[in-house]
Amino acid sequence: MLADQGLAGALGTLATRAGVPTRIGIGPLGEVPAAVEAVAYFTVTEALANIARHSGATKASVRLTRDGPLLRAEITDDGAGGADATRGSGLDGMRRRAAALDGTLRIGSPPGGPTVVTVELPCV
């Protein structure tokens, strides 16, 4: 799907299958290396799967932006919060994939929500 549709198209398709209503916002991204696109897509896919399975959310949003050399993906839901990457889960896998490209992953998920997962990946 990613190779056929590009990142924007693949995320649009993913949103229609997300399990919760999901809004996608994509700003101008410029040239994005294929490896960065793949990690961004994987991160959004895993985050939306976690939202559908665990959060109790009624909606989610994905925002992709480019800030200089960084591609930033922010995935937010209105669920119950409490996501914890230390319990060994898809969240840890997302962190490892981002780190493999010298990127970062942050998770904010206080009890009661919302949960915000932010991945930043260098495009150089």
Side-chain angles (χ1 to χ4, degrees):
M1 182 170 15
L2 183 58
D4 297 334
Q5 298 179 357
L7 185 56
L11 290 178
T13 299
L14 182 63
T16 65
R17 304 174 182 165
V20 296
T22 301
R23 184 175 44 90
I24 303 284
I26 301 176
L29 302 180
E31 289 290 322
V32 178
V36 172
E37 283 189 336
V39 169
Y41 179 77
F42 170 81
T43 300
V44 173
T45 300
E46 183 67 27
L48 290 177
N50 286 344
I51 290 167
R53 280 190 296 243
H54 306 295
S55 74
T58 61
K59 62 184 175 184
S61 67
V62 176
R63 187 173 52 139
L64 247 59
T65 57
R66 179 78 178 259
D67 185 13
L70 292 178
L71 177 73
R72 180 177 296 119
E74 184 177 272
I75 306 98
T76 305
D77 71 62
D78 67 348
D84 183 359
T86 64
R87 292 187 290 196
S89 65
L91 296 172
D92 187 50
M94 292 172 10
R95 186 182 315 279
R96 283 184 277 118
R97 285 186 188 235
L101 296 180
D102 294 326
T104 60
L105 182 96
R106 292 186 310 275
I107 302 165
S109 189
T115 295
V116 179
V117 174
T118 304
V119 64
E120 293 180 333
L121 303 164
C123 292
V124 291

